[in-house]
Amino acid sequence: MRVTNCTVRMPAKINLCLGVGPRRRDGFHELATVFQAVDLYDKISVRQAADITLTMPGSESENLPLGDKNLAVKAAKLLRLRHGSPDMGVHIEITKKIPVAGGMAGGSGNAAGVLLACNKLWGLDLSDEQLHALALELGSDVPFMLSGGTALGFGRGEELTQLPHSGKLNWVLATNRQGLSTPRVFETFDAMGANGDVSSPDDLVQALKRPDADAVAGLLRNDLQPAALSMRPDLKNILKAGIEAGALSGLVSGSGPTCVFLVKDRRAARKVGAAVGSCMGVASALAVSGPAVPSVRINTDGE
Ligand code: C5P
């Protein structure tokens, strides 16, 4: 049976802890992080086509490139180059819900989704290890996005250990109208002479086992936050508003500018959402939960 089309739903990610060490000789920083994927999804549909093309309907993606600069197109081309043949093609359609340049790995998730989907569409049957190697060539967060869930990450974030799914955590995301550039946030981190803690976040891993939201709240940490706040002081008001409205804790997500708040339950989420949603610069306040995982749906021609 030939796969005619395939649809994947790729979650957003947040970092519950982002320990950042000094810049390495390869230009990347050593990390000790806990990733969690949350249930805010981009939808990626792929179908057989003569060449590799991309469309992105909707206003979220208005200013995004559709050609070779797009990480989703890069993913399809890399997969074809390494494991396919030149006659393979795909039309990719991405419907975005995850904010662009928001520190939630939307672009990385799109690239991971294309790897998962085209692996099925083109019948390549690559192993998890092969997909992981391609993912790392595309970006530091792409390997985690292949599996989602909750994971401990070292190195650039690619040395992954999945943590057991023991229960949901409730979050509020305050997305922002204006994005932040990840390389610039890392540069600011360097310029500030910052040097974070890249030891294994064992206390957080223990707290996640239950999961004990109060204990998790006390252990959330982002070494990039001072750099992100120095570039965008307005984010301080958003963090303050969320805490005052009853969030257990709040922090900048990844390199920002999305701010993420841990809340006790849905009721608290509504209160915190209303408070941060009215802050200047906030595009939307979204109640989400984690962990979430990618889903893959395949259609065949039935032959
Ligand atoms: O890996 P990715 O292309 O997503 O990274 C984007 C940029 O973020 C890198 O070019 C680098 O400046 C910075 N980065 C870093 N250390 C990491 C991950 C990303 O310095 N571990």
Side-chain angles (χ1 to χ4, degrees):
M1 269 187 300
R2 203 175 77 112
V3 176
T4 52
N5 59 69
C6 175
T7 299
V8 299
R9 285 200 324 155
M10 298 302 292
K13 73 90 198 165
I14 56 178
N15 298 84
L16 278 51
C17 158
L18 182 54
V20 183
R23 196 180 281 272
R24 311 188 311 202
R25 289 177 68 174
D26 64 2
F28 291 94
H29 291 74
E30 197 65 25
L31 305 182
T33 188
V34 172
F35 295 106
Q36 181 161 88
V38 295
D39 59 356
L40 171 67
Y41 298 96
D42 281 354
K43 187 175 108 183
I44 301 163
S45 300
V46 300
R47 60 177 163 77
Q48 303 284 356
D51 203 351
I52 293 176
T53 53
L54 169 68
T55 52
M56 296 175 113
S59 56
E60 277 288 348
S61 41
E62 252 163 25
N63 299 318
L64 288 177
L66 295 173
D68 286 356
K69 283 210 171 110
N70 192 295
L71 207 54
V73 173
K74 278 189 189 160
K77 292 201 167 167
L78 183 68
L79 182 63
R80 181 175 69 176
L81 178 72
R82 294 286 163 73
H83 299 281
S85 56
D87 59 319
M88 286 175 167
V90 58
H91 179 69
I92 307 163
E93 184 176 287
I94 301 180
T95 311
K96 287 202 78 67
K97 287 273 165 54
I98 303 169
V100 174
M104 286 194 288
S108 299
N110 294 168
V114 166
L115 292 179
L116 293 172
C118 289
N119 187 35
K120 300 285 183 202
L121 187 77
W122 292 338
L124 299 174
D125 211 16
L126 297 193
S127 66
D128 290 350
E129 288 71 26
Q130 285 172 308
L131 289 172
H132 183 282
L134 292 175
L136 184 58
E137 284 191 51
L138 292 161
S140 308
D141 288 340
V142 186
F144 167 71
M145 297 312 297
L146 286 172
S147 48
T150 308
L152 192 55
F154 295 106
R156 282 167 59 191
E158 84 284 15
E159 294 166 26
L160 291 162
T161 309
Q162 274 291 330
L163 301 175
H165 288 207
S166 47
K168 291 275 178 194
L169 291 169
N170 293 295
W171 304 95
V172 173
L173 306 174
T175 71
N176 215 280
R177 292 185 208 285
Q178 195 80 45
L180 254 180
S181 148
T182 300
R184 286 207 43 225
V185 175
F186 274 104
E187 278 163 23
T188 307
F189 173 88
D190 293 339
M192 290 170 84
N195 197 356
D197 177 9
V198 286
S199 57
S200 182
D202 295 335
D203 292 350
L204 177 59
V205 171
Q206 284 307 320
L208 284 167
K209 275 189 183 153
R210 299 190 281 281
D212 176 344
D214 287 303
V216 169
L219 296 164
L220 297 177
R221 201 188 94 227
N222 181 358
D223 288 347
L224 288 181
Q225 183 161 309
L229 292 182
S230 81
M231 294 167 76
R232 291 287 302 277
D234 54 308
L235 300 179
K236 289 180 196 163
N237 289 334
I238 302 169
L239 292 173
K240 191 162 163 266
I243 299 295
E244 281 174 3
L248 300 174
S249 183
L251 78 171
V252 171
S253 170
S255 57
T258 301
C259 292
V260 48
F261 301 90
L262 181 59
V263 290
K264 192 132 213 118
D265 50 31
R266 282 172 184 273
R267 209 165 133 240
R270 278 195 292 278
K271 243 183 114 191
V272 170
V276 297
S278 61
C279 289
M280 224 169 56
V282 172
S284 57
L286 306 166
V288 298
S289 68
V293 291
S295 68
V296 183
R297 210 184 65 225
I298 300 167
N299 288 316
T300 60
D301 58 10
E303 278 170 18

